[in-house]
């Protein structure tokens, strides 16, 4: 599901655009290079100007898929969210336009979550 549209500026290695979901909308959003302080530090900071001032929305990292396609892994966070929202930015073929895409994680099944049968369940099956 696309939740944002951006223009990529190769000269500054930055993105400008907007993010829009059912719960929040930010425009303009800037995704700008971050001075990394460690190897695992974010490559970008995500910010927006709001009616209440300049806010940081999240951070992002440059990545490469198993198929060799470059993308940017995004983590948006807010006190209003139960957990950080994970998404990815993919540029279009011409390289100047990009989309922020989010997919809901699939719920774990009981078998995946807990491979050991519970004592009560095992006892019921034995009876």
């Amino acid at each position: 599901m696309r939740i944002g549209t951006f223009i990529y500026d190769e000269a500054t290695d930055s993105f400008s655009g907007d993010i829009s979901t059912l719960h929040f909308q930010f425009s303009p959003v800037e995704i700008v290079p971050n001075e990394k302080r460690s190897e695992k530090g974010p490559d970008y900071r995500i910010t927006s100007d709001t009616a209440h001032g300049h806010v940081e929305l999240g951070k992002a990292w440059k990545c490469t898929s198993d198929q060799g396609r470059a993308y940017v892994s995004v983590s948006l966070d807010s006190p209003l969210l139960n957990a950080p929202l994970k998404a990815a930015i993919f540029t279009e073929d011409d390289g100047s336009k990009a989309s922020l895409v989010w997919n809901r994680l699939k719920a774990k099944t009981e078998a995946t979550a807990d491979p050991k049968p519970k004592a009560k369940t095992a006892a019921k099956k034995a009876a």
Side-chain angles (χ1 to χ4, degrees):
M1 174 183 303
R2 185 171 69 182
I3 61 170
T5 55
F6 291 88
I7 301 296
Y8 177 67
D9 183 343
E10 188 174 358
T12 61
D13 187 27
S14 62
F15 298 84
S16 298
D18 60 73
I19 298 174
S20 183
T21 73
L22 291 174
H23 295 288
F24 56 84
Q25 297 178 350
F26 290 99
S27 184
V29 173
E30 300 297 325
I31 303 174
V32 297
N34 178 54
E35 185 177 322
K36 293 179 80 151
R37 296 184 180 170
S38 71
E39 186 178 316
K40 292 184 179 185
D43 293 302
Y44 298 97
R45 293 283 177 195
I46 305 168
T47 61
S48 183
D49 287 323
T50 70
H52 304 288
H54 192 76
V55 297
E56 185 170 330
L57 304 174
K59 49 197 170 191
W61 294 262
K62 293 179 182 179
C63 298
T64 304
S65 72
D66 292 339
Q67 295 77 28
R69 184 174 181 194
Y71 69 97
V72 177
S73 176
V74 172
S75 177
L76 301 174
D77 206 354
S78 163
L80 301 175
L81 299 174
N82 290 334
L85 185 148
K86 305 290 186 184
I89 296 176
F90 295 96
T91 56
E92 294 182 13
D93 292 336
D94 69 359
S96 66
K97 294 181 181 177
S99 295
L100 178 63
V101 179
W102 169 82
N103 289 314
R104 182 177 303 280
L105 294 176
K106 294 181 181 177
K108 293 181 181 180
T109 64
E110 284 185 15
T112 304
D114 186 7
K116 296 179 186 177
K118 294 182 180 179
K120 289 181 182 178
T121 305
K124 285 182 183 178
K125 287 182 181 179

